[in-house]
Amino acid sequence: MKNIAPSLPKQWWQSSWVLAVLCLSTALPVAVTSFPPLIDLYGHAGRYHIQAEIADNPFIQRNWAFHWALVANLGVDLLTIPLSRIMGMERAIWLIVLCIPPLMASGFLHLAKRVHGQVPATALAALPFALAYPFQFGFVNFWLGTALGFHFCALWLTWRERGVSLPRMALFFLPASLLTWIVHVYAWGILGILCGGAEIGRAWQAGHRNLRPLLVEPALRTLPLAAPLPLMLIWRSEGADALTAGWFHFPSKIATFLQSLRDQSMVLDIFSICLVMLLIYAALRKRGLSVSPTLGIPALAFFALGTLFPFRLFGSAFADSRLWPVALAVAILAIRVDAETGRMARNMALAACALILVRIAASTAGFFTYDRDLQQHLAALEQVERGARIVVLVPLNHDRPWRRERLEYAASLAIVRRDAFTNTEWDVPGAQLLRPLGGLGTPFNASPSHVIAAAGPDAEIGREIRRRIDRIPRDRFDYVWVIDFDPETLAMPTDLRPLYSDDRTILYRIERDSRS
């Protein structure tokens, strides 16, 4: 594969300093927080703490069971163990998550430069996807593994261009594919599609149209990436009960596609998606823009898989929608401006930088607000003793606004800070190494028992909260924590004593003399 324009003079957006600043800017939203406000990350944080402490912590041992196994979802889990010994669990998570968006952004640019010979102006438009909705939702293992996949694919293309033999490439890519699989299985799949699609694209560019050079030979060349297949078969045989469901629900697919950049503002986020789609359309129709098959074919594959995949695959939710941002980013990276020194390239680079800066500013302001509110709610934990058992209740309105409050799993930080039990951890056969025990045999042992699917006025939601609380076995739990609901509207049983409240949360203690 030859570089497209290696002899063109470097433009301002191709400066190493400019690209480094743009990549590092994607970390700003996390940098202004004390803990990253990503929806599922709070629940993951609870699991990280349990796996790090269960060997020696009697409070954790009383409420949880954890058994290590080689599963394809361990990226951040493994990184937190040594780092938490140095700086504490919350700070370790913060540091790891802080690094993921710049790693993803640099992976985009690394791959674009390898395919096009230099970073095209259009590639800058992919950088907002470093903070795409899978990251915002807290799919940190998936996003970390996907970032590694982009870098590994760029290395694959580099060595292919230099004529490195397949056996020598296998020495690196056998362990690289295993590493990516361990971080997250979907990321391993993305790596395979990127490299396999790139090989097909190279064959297409070379003029091959027959089955053997176009499909068979690329498949054989990418065999080193199949190294995790035996582990995959063992893992899935042990987790055969993991749910796969939600096929071909196209209204949901369209909605999640439009939410690929969902963050703080519906107008800004959907406008950004429209700009990206306009760029992709222009690349197919406008003179002066072209699409490299090396990345164009993987982009088509991702769009196809997003359409065909179910909502839940092997117990993991959002299996289809987490591919939309990857498909869009790869489609953008496939585009190049045929005359990188022209006005079109400069205008596109300026427009992309403006989009990045506006989105980073909006995300940073939003994350700062999330963190301020979260720390106010977490002040309730000052009233909780170590090892306590807490029933958490969080109303989730079906009509919740675009900008989510991101408090569904925030109570899991009680596990980190107080070695507590909360009913907010997942218990998914084949997908989780953790098993909650503190509420076993009650309706309040695992997620989603903490979620109240809210509908109607606050008074009706308050009555549903009361009905849930009446079902709590008083001899099994110490506290009730209602989050993201106005406490002044709640009428509680007399055996609950309020200990802490603000405008959106209240913590009750179940009185000892009222429990058996």
Side-chain angles (χ1 to χ4, degrees):
M1 181 180 63
K2 295 180 180 179
N3 287 345
I4 300 302
S7 61
L8 290 178
K10 183 178 290 189
Q11 304 301 311
W12 63 266
W13 63 85
Q14 293 160 345
S15 161
S16 298
W17 287 103
V18 171
L19 296 177
V21 168
L22 290 175
C23 290
L24 291 173
S25 71
T26 62
L28 276 175
V30 175
V32 300
T33 68
S34 55
F35 189 88
L38 311 180
I39 296 168
D40 280 3
L41 183 62
Y42 305 112
H44 298 323
R47 183 179 75 249
Y48 304 153
H49 180 74
I50 292 164
Q51 66 192 25
E53 295 289 329
I54 195 167
D56 305 309
N57 189 319
F59 297 110
I60 297 296
Q61 293 168 355
R62 182 168 71 104
N63 291 320
W64 310 94
F66 187 91
H67 301 284
W68 281 106
L70 186 59
V71 299
N73 188 11
L74 292 176
V76 177
D77 299 60
L78 296 176
L79 290 172
T80 57
I81 293 175
L83 279 177
S84 64
R85 305 299 184 193
I86 299 171
M87 60 185 69
M89 183 58 70
E90 288 188 48
R91 206 59 182 168
I93 296 168
W94 176 88
L95 179 61
I96 294 166
V97 174
L98 178 79
C99 295
I100 293 175
L103 184 66
M104 180 69 82
S106 60
F108 292 159
L109 299 180
H110 187 189
L111 185 56
K113 184 175 182 179
R114 183 49 48 204
V115 170
H116 301 293
Q118 57 187 11
V119 177
T122 48
L124 302 183
L127 295 187
F129 287 94
L131 292 165
Y133 199 44
F135 175 77
Q136 303 285 341
F137 215 99
F139 299 152
V140 288
N141 283 345
F142 167 68
W143 214 233
L144 172 61
T146 302
L148 292 176
F150 276 94
H151 283 285
F152 287 153
C153 182
L155 288 174
W156 177 279
L157 293 175
T158 299
W159 292 347
R160 287 283 287 127
E161 179 183 345
R162 293 175 181 173
V164 178
S165 66
L166 184 60
R168 290 182 62 190
M169 291 181 65
L171 291 175
F172 176 83
F173 283 99
L174 282 169
S177 62
L178 286 167
L179 173 63
T180 308
W181 183 85
I182 290 170
V183 174
H184 199 277
V185 61
Y186 294 171
W188 169 62
I190 286 170
L191 171 62
I193 292 167
L194 283 172
C195 293
E199 287 292 337
I200 294 171
R202 286 166 54 90
W204 184 273
Q205 275 185 301
H208 298 300
R209 299 295 184 268
N210 296 327
L211 180 64
R212 180 177 178 82
L214 192 61
L215 295 178
V216 176
E217 291 178 5
L220 292 174
R221 279 194 291 269
T222 54
L223 275 179
L225 301 177
L229 272 178
L231 296 175
M232 182 77 174
L233 294 173
I234 295 170
W235 175 46
R236 292 323 317 159
S237 65
E238 294 175 349
D241 295 334
L243 180 64
T244 294
W247 296 91
F248 304 120
H249 191 259
F250 290 108
S252 174
K253 289 179 184 293
I254 294 170
T256 54
F257 177 84
L258 293 174
Q259 295 175 30
S260 295
L261 288 173
R262 182 176 176 180
D263 189 359
Q264 302 297 306
S265 165
M266 177 186 288
V267 173
L268 175 60
D269 299 340
I270 293 183
F271 175 72
S272 301
I273 293 296
C274 291
L275 285 180
V276 167
M277 293 303 297
L278 182 62
L279 174 59
I280 295 171
Y281 175 78
L284 298 174
R285 300 296 299 271
K286 186 176 178 60
R287 183 177 298 176
L289 295 176
S290 57
V291 176
S292 168
T294 305
L295 291 180
I297 288 174
L300 286 174
F302 289 127
F303 281 119
L305 290 174
T307 303
L308 296 174
F309 268 21
F311 167 77
R312 189 179 296 274
L313 186 63
F314 301 145
S316 295
F318 303 99
D320 52 354
S321 59
R322 68 176 75 194
L323 290 177
W324 296 135
V326 178
L328 288 166
V330 175
I332 294 167
L333 297 176
I335 301 168
R336 60 174 176 259
V337 184
D338 291 337
E340 283 289 339
T341 57
R343 178 180 298 177
M344 180 191 296
R346 290 192 293 270
N347 289 342
M348 286 188 168
L350 288 171
C353 287
L355 178 64
I356 296 165
L357 294 176
V358 169
R359 292 198 59 82
I360 292 296
S363 293
T364 302
F367 274 44
F368 179 82
T369 303
Y370 284 139
D371 190 64
R372 181 196 62 197
D373 295 342
L374 174 68
Q375 296 310 317
Q376 177 180 320
H377 301 329
L378 292 180
L381 294 178
E382 296 175 6
Q383 308 295 323
V384 175
E385 71 271 14
R386 289 186 68 196
R389 292 177 174 175
I390 307 171
V391 171
V392 179
L393 298 173
V394 185
L396 291 183
N397 196 321
H398 287 302
D399 299 322
R400 56 192 172 205
W402 185 270
R403 182 188 185 275
R404 297 178 62 167
E405 291 302 317
R406 306 189 180 186
L407 294 171
E408 292 98 304
Y409 293 94
S412 286
L413 288 179
I415 303 170
V416 181
R417 296 189 177 186
R418 289 293 183 268
D419 297 324
F421 173 85
T422 66
N423 57 316
T424 54
E425 291 298 306
W426 298 274
D427 188 10
V428 182
Q432 299 288 331
L433 303 178
L434 174 68
R435 189 181 181 209
L437 299 177
L440 201 63
T442 79
F444 304 98
N445 191 51
S447 174
S449 66
H450 67 297
V451 173
I452 296 175
D458 282 357
E460 177 58 34
I461 298 170
R463 285 191 288 271
E464 176 58 27
I465 293 173
R466 172 62 186 267
R467 285 191 287 269
R468 296 280 188 97
I469 289 175
D470 288 342
R471 297 171 59 198
I472 297 172
R474 274 29 180 187
D475 62 328
R476 297 289 299 277
F477 295 96
D478 306 299
Y479 298 90
V480 178
W481 194 3
V482 181
I483 298 176
D484 201 20
F485 191 77
D486 184 357
E488 293 186 0
T489 66
L490 293 174
M492 290 293 103
T494 56
D495 65 341
L496 296 189
R497 179 166 61 91
L499 297 180
Y500 175 88
S501 67
D502 57 33
D503 59 335
R504 298 303 297 173
T505 187
I506 186 166
L507 175 72
Y508 298 96
R509 182 174 182 87
I510 301 175
E511 294 282 40
R512 292 185 180 278
D513 58 5
S514 299
R515 293 178 287 168
S516 58

